[in-house]
Amino acid sequence: MTDSFFQLSANLASIAKGFHTRGWLLGTSGNLSAVVQRDPLRLAMSPSGIDKGELTPEQLLTIDENARIVSNHNGKPSDESLLHLRVVNDRGAGAVLHTHSIWNTILSDLYASDGGVKIEGYEMLKGLQGVRTHEHSEWLPIIENSQDMPALAEVVGKTLNEHKDAHGFLLRRHGLYSWGDTLAHAKRHIEILEFLLETMGRTSLIGKV
Amino acid sequence: MTDSFFQLSANLASIAKGFHTRGWLLGTSGNLSAVVQRDPLRLAMSPSGIDKGELTPEQLLTIDENARIVSNHNGKPSDESLLHLRVVNDRGAGAVLHTHSIWNTILSDLYASDGGVKIEGYEMLKGLQGVRTHEHSEWLPIIENSQDMPALAEVVGKTLNEHKDAHGFLLRRHGLYSWGDTLAHAKRHIEILEFLLETMGRTSLIGKV
Amino acid sequence: MTDSFFQLSANLASIAKGFHTRGWLLGTSGNLSAVVQRDPLRLAMSPSGIDKGELTPEQLLTIDENARIVSNHNGKPSDESLLHLRVVNDRGAGAVLHTHSIWNTILSDLYASDGGVKIEGYEMLKGLQGVRTHEHSEWLPIIENSQDMPALAEVVGKTLNEHKDAHGFLLRRHGLYSWGDTLAHAKRHIEILEFLLETMGRTSLIGKV
Amino acid sequence: MTDSFFQLSANLASIAKGFHTRGWLLGTSGNLSAVVQRDPLRLAMSPSGIDKGELTPEQLLTIDENARIVSNHNGKPSDESLLHLRVVNDRGAGAVLHTHSIWNTILSDLYASDGGVKIEGYEMLKGLQGVRTHEHSEWLPIIENSQDMPALAEVVGKTLNEHKDAHGFLLRRHGLYSWGDTLAHAKRHIEILEFLLETMGRTSLIGKV
């Protein structure tokens, strides 16, 4: 275990615990990854079926560019490793995080017929990498859910290509993916998008008193 | 106290604290159990009337197949021990958890006239044991609440028999029961069902903005 | 500082911290007390104007039956000490807790014209002292808010006399009072009533999906 | 680093962590400051782009009355330092806190056409400095959001001058500013205003059951 892998694993475990506390990774749902090295690619990846509130750095797996395990062979990588790898490759991301929150689940279904959620006019958007003003308009694409991971990875790749400015995407009735150059950026992006989805969901309900 | 009992008790106490923090076991409500051994049956069971946020491993009781205490004789087992035993016997469960959340209370009443809640099309369902796709349809039966525990245990047994695929059931205006082969599975099932009930409850409210 | 006072103070501080985390004591709101001895009466009381998330056992005051400080003379007892003393005297309570939650604030106003909130048919009610069935009907009286503490204490006394079975009362757009023979009972009662008020508030909003 | 600066920094970091846990400072949003000395002015200020859940006392910057860094030169002060300085100067505040909560974001937009939110009749208002009764009426001005900080600082100054009794203001679809003579007062004010905004937002939704 290299220093870099160990540090990333500790940070991934810490983020997993925090997100689990917020209810974004309940029931062993969701997964997290971070690039350990690029050439050849080595990705630290959360294992399948582990309680994210109890994830330890030692449980993180290393996978290669084909989602094969190259360390911790008694663990099983998440089925969604192919989606993480696609984001890493197509976006050059240094980390990819995937959450199952109540609000992202609801909005991924509510806006499915629109093909995505348009989020604009919020100061919080300025926290997304490259965004300089609240007047930014973010399009968060929604992809139909599927259990066929190679096929879904293709759709993800196509979506990333069509929406080159997107900082994340939703899988319908499933969850949110976001990423960043570093793990800290990816964490920030998830927090921002979760905040904005909840804000939009609740805004639809509110009136003056 | 055997190693196995001690470890299970520590895990039960840790889960109780976590669920209490989430507001699922307020006011000493709810209870938790795990099988220590099968033949004869010994069940580690949370005592009656204890703050679940303060539950210690030492407070866990051992009961037999007739809900009689076989250790910690100064504790009082929960009135609902009979329901736990029924689930352990009829499902072969290794652990049974029962939560009182705001959302399970509300939906147990809202859907009572339907006799249950149908939950389908969510990725989160895949976390239920034996479920392989989000296209799964889960039926969560609702049972009318009662203080007559032997009678209620009979209804629970009948319900488990009629709905052999169910991963849990609701007691009306009372709470959720779920279980698993192991305590970790039972915890995962509770988190998943709580998540899905809250998601369905909130979905009924939301519109686009 | 007697052992008893020290233990009660530590428990009061721990409850304060937990309730502050839940958002029930924000902004230095709310207060907590527990009887140290009866004759003459000595009540451990949270001081005025202290952040309840940071309350230490050393900050607890002792007051007598007239709300005069008998220890920690550099602290200032809460203005609402007279209400605590009234509950201690009229109910023989061993502890009194007062929370400002969002849901108790909302329902105290919504049901004000009815003079109280009727809560019935919930299993959670069984956690209230002396209640044996979910078929119990709890009347939670609502008292108009006032800054005239001696006058308000009189109204509280009258209300307690008129509703001898009540386990708590609401001050309109202000907060919830509950109590118990012991501090553990009082904490349990607060958790139960907060849970039920939130459940009722949210129930009014929900439909099937 | 003076003792005073170190203590203030530790307190700012502790408040940041607590508010981040509540979801009021997600995605590196928000910022916090406290006056270290008055003449010449030295303000401890949270740096730009730091995760508020991980903020350490060592990361706090010191800035002068023109928002120039006078310590920790490798940090970058928040763009909104000019707003903090304006509040410090115009109100004589000892600390200024700025949160991005879901509820303050929603209400800052919902009430924007009114120019502010009127909050009245809540006991919680009594926790605002100088307020003695729940019959108080608090006007929380709403200012249109902008990325032109010098211009926005001018509008803030004008607003503070027009509403000399206000304990805070909202930036539209952006967040809440509040302050106090001390950091403890500022924290209390934020908690109170966040509580009241959420209470008002939820009140608009609720009916009796």
Side-chain angles (χ1 to χ4, degrees):
Chain A
M1 194 186 267
T2 63
D3 283 359
S4 167
F5 178 75
F6 184 79
Q7 186 58 54
L8 280 173
S9 296
N11 291 346
L12 286 165
S14 168
I15 290 169
K17 192 180 191 64
F19 283 6
H20 182 264
T21 298
R22 291 195 193 276
W24 297 349
L25 296 171
L26 293 179
T28 78
S29 71
N31 30 69
L32 312 92
S33 70
V35 172
V36 183
Q37 63 170 54
R38 289 277 174 187
D39 193 10
L41 182 68
R42 291 294 178 266
L43 192 67
M45 181 88 208
S46 57
S48 181
I50 299 288
D51 186 329
K52 299 306 183 299
E54 307 287 337
L55 183 66
T56 63
E58 291 72 22
Q59 290 175 315
L60 271 285
L61 311 174
T62 311
I63 61 173
D64 68 12
E65 75 277 14
N66 297 307
R68 285 176 308 211
I69 294 190
V70 292
S71 77
N72 251 357
H73 290 274
N74 51 355
K76 181 183 172 303
S78 165
D79 290 344
E80 296 181 40
S81 299
L82 291 180
L83 307 191
H84 286 248
L85 286 165
R86 181 61 66 135
V87 175
V88 166
N89 283 325
D90 291 12
R91 281 292 201 259
V96 182
L97 302 175
H98 168 44
T99 49
H100 286 213
S101 76
I102 283 169
W103 291 99
N104 78 38
T105 301
I106 294 173
L107 269 72
S108 73
D109 197 32
L110 182 69
Y111 285 89
S113 61
D114 300 341
V117 187
K118 187 165 69 174
I119 313 176
E120 56 185 0
Y122 290 105
E123 178 71 12
M124 194 60 113
L125 288 163
K126 271 181 64 192
L128 299 176
Q129 204 163 11
V131 175
R132 305 241 177 268
T133 168
H134 63 285
E135 292 172 348
H136 173 73
S137 180
E138 177 79 13
W139 179 256
L140 194 63
I142 300 174
I143 297 171
E144 199 65 32
N145 196 21
S146 167
Q147 300 308 323
D148 181 343
M149 284 301 137
L152 191 53
E154 286 306 302
V155 181
V156 166
K158 190 163 163 287
T159 301
L160 293 174
N161 193 46
E162 283 172 6
H163 302 284
K164 289 192 184 302
D165 295 332
H167 293 82
F169 59 85
L170 292 164
L171 295 177
R172 186 177 183 184
R173 293 168 80 100
H174 176 152
L176 170 69
Y177 272 82
S178 190
W179 53 83
D181 290 351
T182 64
L183 186 51
H185 287 320
K187 177 182 184 246
R188 191 182 75 231
H189 287 171
I190 286 282
E191 289 187 4
I192 288 168
L193 293 172
E194 291 287 0
F195 175 93
L196 290 168
L197 292 170
E198 181 171 344
T199 297
M200 289 182 67
R202 291 191 184 277
T203 293
S204 71
L205 303 175
I206 302 292
K208 294 181 188 179
V209 293
Chain B
M1 195 185 267
T2 65
D3 283 358
S4 167
F5 178 76
F6 184 80
Q7 186 58 53
L8 280 172
S9 296
N11 291 346
L12 285 164
S14 169
I15 291 170
K17 190 177 191 64
F19 284 5
H20 182 264
T21 298
R22 292 194 192 275
W24 297 349
L25 297 171
L26 293 179
T28 79
S29 71
N31 30 70
L32 311 93
S33 70
V35 172
V36 182
Q37 64 170 54
R38 288 277 174 187
D39 193 10
L41 182 68
R42 292 294 179 266
L43 192 67
M45 182 87 207
S46 57
S48 182
I50 299 287
D51 186 329
K52 298 307 182 300
E54 308 287 336
L55 182 66
T56 62
E58 292 70 25
Q59 289 175 315
L60 270 286
L61 312 174
T62 312
I63 61 173
D64 68 12
E65 75 277 13
N66 297 308
R68 286 176 308 213
I69 294 189
V70 293
S71 77
N72 252 355
H73 289 275
N74 51 355
K76 180 181 172 304
S78 165
D79 289 346
E80 296 181 40
S81 297
L82 291 179
L83 308 191
H84 285 248
L85 287 165
R86 181 61 65 137
V87 174
V88 166
N89 284 325
D90 292 13
R91 281 292 201 259
V96 182
L97 301 175
H98 168 45
T99 48
H100 287 213
S101 75
I102 282 169
W103 291 100
N104 78 39
T105 300
I106 293 172
L107 269 72
S108 73
D109 197 31
L110 182 69
Y111 285 89
S113 61
D114 300 340
V117 187
K118 187 164 70 175
I119 313 176
E120 56 185 1
Y122 290 105
E123 179 72 12
M124 194 59 115
L125 289 163
K126 271 181 65 191
L128 298 176
Q129 205 163 11
V131 175
R132 306 239 176 269
T133 169
H134 62 284
E135 292 172 348
H136 174 73
S137 178
E138 178 79 14
W139 180 257
L140 194 63
I142 299 174
I143 296 170
E144 199 64 33
N145 196 21
S146 168
Q147 301 307 324
D148 181 344
M149 284 302 137
L152 191 53
E154 286 306 303
V155 180
V156 166
K158 187 160 163 289
T159 301
L160 293 174
N161 193 46
E162 282 172 6
H163 302 283
K164 288 192 184 302
D165 294 332
H167 293 83
F169 60 84
L170 292 165
L171 296 178
R172 186 177 184 182
R173 293 168 80 101
H174 176 154
L176 170 69
Y177 271 82
S178 190
W179 53 84
D181 290 352
T182 64
L183 185 52
H185 287 320
K187 176 181 184 250
R188 192 181 75 231
H189 287 171
I190 286 283
E191 288 187 5
I192 289 168
L193 293 171
E194 290 288 0
F195 175 93
L196 290 167
L197 291 169
E198 181 171 345
T199 297
M200 289 181 67
R202 291 191 184 276
T203 293
S204 71
L205 303 175
I206 301 292
K208 294 181 189 178
V209 291
Chain C
M1 196 186 268
T2 64
D3 284 358
S4 167
F5 177 76
F6 184 79
Q7 186 58 53
L8 280 172
S9 297
N11 291 346
L12 286 163
S14 168
I15 290 169
K17 190 177 191 64
F19 283 5
H20 182 263
T21 298
R22 291 194 193 276
W24 297 350
L25 297 170
L26 293 179
T28 78
S29 69
N31 31 67
L32 311 92
S33 70
V35 172
V36 182
Q37 64 169 54
R38 290 276 175 190
D39 194 9
L41 182 68
R42 291 294 178 266
L43 192 68
M45 183 86 204
S46 57
S48 182
I50 298 287
D51 186 329
K52 298 307 183 299
E54 308 286 337
L55 183 66
T56 62
E58 291 70 23
Q59 289 175 315
L60 271 286
L61 311 174
T62 311
I63 60 172
D64 69 12
E65 76 276 14
N66 296 310
R68 285 177 306 213
I69 294 189
V70 293
S71 77
N72 252 355
H73 289 275
N74 50 357
K76 180 182 172 304
S78 165
D79 290 345
E80 296 181 40
S81 297
L82 290 179
L83 308 192
H84 286 248
L85 287 164
R86 182 59 66 136
V87 174
V88 165
N89 284 326
D90 292 12
R91 282 291 201 261
V96 182
L97 301 175
H98 168 45
T99 49
H100 286 213
S101 75
I102 283 170
W103 291 99
N104 79 38
T105 301
I106 294 173
L107 269 71
S108 74
D109 197 32
L110 182 69
Y111 286 88
S113 61
D114 300 341
V117 187
K118 185 164 71 173
I119 312 175
E120 57 186 359
Y122 290 104
E123 179 71 12
M124 194 61 111
L125 288 163
K126 271 181 63 189
L128 299 176
Q129 203 162 13
V131 175
R132 307 240 176 267
T133 169
H134 63 284
E135 291 171 348
H136 172 74
S137 180
E138 179 79 14
W139 180 256
L140 194 64
I142 299 173
I143 296 171
E144 200 63 33
N145 196 21
S146 167
Q147 300 307 325
D148 181 343
M149 285 302 136
L152 191 53
E154 286 307 302
V155 180
V156 166
K158 188 161 162 288
T159 302
L160 293 174
N161 193 46
E162 282 172 6
H163 303 284
K164 290 192 184 300
D165 295 331
H167 294 82
F169 59 85
L170 292 165
L171 296 178
R172 186 178 184 181
R173 293 168 79 102
H174 174 155
L176 169 69
Y177 272 82
S178 190
W179 52 83
D181 291 352
T182 65
L183 185 51
H185 288 320
K187 176 179 185 253
R188 192 179 76 231
H189 287 171
I190 287 284
E191 289 188 3
I192 289 168
L193 293 171
E194 290 288 359
F195 175 93
L196 290 167
L197 291 169
E198 182 172 344
T199 297
M200 289 182 67
R202 291 191 184 277
T203 294
S204 72
L205 303 175
I206 302 292
K208 294 181 189 178
V209 292
Chain D
M1 196 185 268
T2 64
D3 283 359
S4 168
F5 178 75
F6 184 80
Q7 186 58 53
L8 279 173
S9 296
N11 292 346
L12 286 164
S14 167
I15 290 170
K17 191 178 191 65
F19 283 5
H20 182 264
T21 298
R22 291 194 193 276
W24 297 349
L25 296 171
L26 293 180
T28 77
S29 70
N31 31 68
L32 311 92
S33 70
V35 172
V36 183
Q37 63 171 51
R38 290 277 175 188
D39 195 9
L41 182 67
R42 292 293 178 265
L43 191 67
M45 181 87 205
S46 56
S48 181
I50 298 288
D51 186 330
K52 299 305 184 300
E54 308 286 337
L55 184 66
T56 62
E58 290 71 23
Q59 291 175 314
L60 271 286
L61 311 174
T62 311
I63 61 173
D64 69 11
E65 75 278 14
N66 297 309
R68 285 176 307 212
I69 294 190
V70 293
S71 77
N72 252 356
H73 289 274
N74 50 355
K76 180 183 174 303
S78 166
D79 290 344
E80 296 181 40
S81 298
L82 291 179
L83 308 192
H84 286 249
L85 287 164
R86 181 61 64 135
V87 175
V88 166
N89 284 326
D90 292 12
R91 281 293 201 260
V96 182
L97 302 175
H98 168 44
T99 49
H100 286 214
S101 75
I102 283 170
W103 290 100
N104 79 38
T105 301
I106 294 173
L107 269 70
S108 73
D109 196 32
L110 182 68
Y111 286 89
S113 62
D114 300 342
V117 187
K118 187 165 68 172
I119 312 175
E120 57 185 359
Y122 291 105
E123 179 71 13
M124 194 60 111
L125 288 163
K126 272 181 63 191
L128 299 175
Q129 203 162 11
V131 175
R132 306 238 178 269
T133 167
H134 63 285
E135 291 171 349
H136 173 74
S137 180
E138 178 79 13
W139 180 257
L140 194 63
I142 299 173
I143 296 171
E144 200 63 33
N145 196 21
S146 167
Q147 301 307 324
D148 180 343
M149 284 302 136
L152 191 54
E154 286 307 303
V155 181
V156 165
K158 189 162 164 286
T159 302
L160 293 175
N161 192 46
E162 282 172 7
H163 304 283
K164 290 193 183 302
D165 295 331
H167 294 82
F169 59 86
L170 291 164
L171 296 177
R172 185 178 185 182
R173 294 168 78 102
H174 176 154
L176 170 69
Y177 271 83
S178 190
W179 53 83
D181 291 351
T182 64
L183 186 51
H185 287 321
K187 177 179 184 251
R188 191 180 77 230
H189 287 172
I190 287 282
E191 288 187 4
I192 289 168
L193 293 171
E194 290 287 359
F195 176 94
L196 290 167
L197 291 170
E198 182 172 345
T199 297
M200 288 182 69
R202 291 191 184 278
T203 293
S204 72
L205 304 175
I206 301 292
K208 294 181 187 179
V209 293

